[in-house]
Amino acid sequence: MKVLMLNGSPHAEGTTFAALSEIAATLNEEGIETEIAQLGVAALIGCTACMKCRALGKCAFGDTDGVNAFMEKAESADGFIFGSPVHYAGAAGAFVAFMDRLFYAEGNSGKGRFYLKPAAAVVAARRGGTTAAFDQINKYFTVSNMPVISSQYWNMVHGANAADAKRDLEGMQSMRVLARNMAWFLRCKEAGEKAGVPLPKREERVRTNFIAPERA
């Protein structure tokens, strides 16, 4: 089994990476393979709602900035952890652009790379804004049929740099608990599949808006 992670920080080895590394080390101890993809500092366009992903099965802009590469890796992943630093009480701008395009294109692809696969959000901040960013990221999962993995506290670490984050003993413990909960869920899911537990019945998607139809 494998958990694919995204370091949504422009800093390859900053506070977000420190949190994800703690999770990866614990998952490895649990016998779960891990990979951390790095978002980096390259310019990243936001979703333009061009709708081309419906025909392409991938993001029309994603071949050069890692969106489609991550989507391809998602095919063989069993679980996901998405980490972001906190900028102005929200997730980092480039991270949000990446996630918007990733989840919109995947949702339109019909391939089900995320369907019923567990996910968790991790945020890192010097001081505040963590819970708002945490809530923001979780919304990608709850609209995508993805079970959300929790810890003993909200999935956050604090520190101005990686060294500070590692001294956040409660935050680091929360990362380890999160990793063990993820490993437990993956094993339970695997056991259910082996026992023949069927997937939930799926209905044809119903889409409505909030505009009342014209009356005849």
Side-chain angles (χ1 to χ4, degrees):
M1 288 182 282
K2 179 178 181 178
V3 171
L4 179 60
M5 296 187 256
L6 177 67
N7 178 7
S9 170
H11 303 292
E13 297 185 354
T15 51
T16 306
F17 180 76
L20 295 178
S21 294
E22 191 76 6
I23 295 170
T26 306
L27 283 170
N28 295 159
E29 291 175 0
E30 294 283 333
I32 308 294
E33 182 184 352
T34 58
E35 179 182 351
I36 301 177
Q38 169 65 30
L39 189 59
V41 296
L44 200 150
I45 189 172
C47 180
T48 65
C50 69
M51 307 301 179
K52 291 182 180 178
C53 55
R54 292 182 177 177
L56 295 173
K58 63 179 182 178
C59 180
F61 305 111
D63 288 336
T64 59
D65 58 19
V67 172
N68 290 334
F70 191 95
M71 198 182 304
E72 289 178 7
K73 291 180 179 180
E75 186 112 33
S76 59
D78 301 289
F80 304 91
I81 296 177
F82 296 90
S84 173
V86 175
H87 294 171
Y88 292 95
F95 173 86
V96 172
F98 187 99
M99 295 289 279
D100 284 353
R101 287 169 48 204
L102 174 69
F103 275 81
Y104 195 67
E106 169 54 24
N108 282 326
S109 74
K111 293 187 179 294
R113 296 180 182 96
F114 293 153
Y115 180 64
L116 293 183
K117 293 182 180 181
V122 167
V123 293
R126 182 191 66 83
R127 186 168 179 85
T130 49
T131 53
F134 181 62
D135 290 343
Q136 178 186 3
I137 300 171
N138 277 319
K139 289 180 173 65
Y140 290 100
F141 316 144
T142 55
V143 77
S144 304
N145 288 290
M146 301 176 78
V148 178
I149 304 300
S150 61
S151 183
Q152 64 188 16
Y153 195 73
W154 297 300
N155 307 334
M156 61 182 71
V157 298
H158 290 84
N161 51 51
D164 283 351
K166 292 176 183 178
R167 289 196 291 269
D168 177 7
L169 300 184
E170 183 175 359
M172 288 293 114
Q173 185 179 62
S174 293
M175 298 302 105
R176 295 191 297 273
V177 173
L178 168 62
R180 295 188 186 105
N181 289 349
M182 173 68 81
W184 178 84
F185 184 93
L186 289 174
R187 286 194 286 266
C188 287
K189 184 182 177 187
E190 182 182 56
E193 291 172 349
K194 290 180 178 179
V197 177
L199 294 176
K201 178 183 176 181
R202 302 190 72 172
E203 298 184 12
E204 183 178 349
R205 186 71 178 265
V206 176
R207 292 183 181 274
T208 61
N209 56 33
F210 299 106
I211 307 300
E214 294 184 5
R215 300 193 179 192

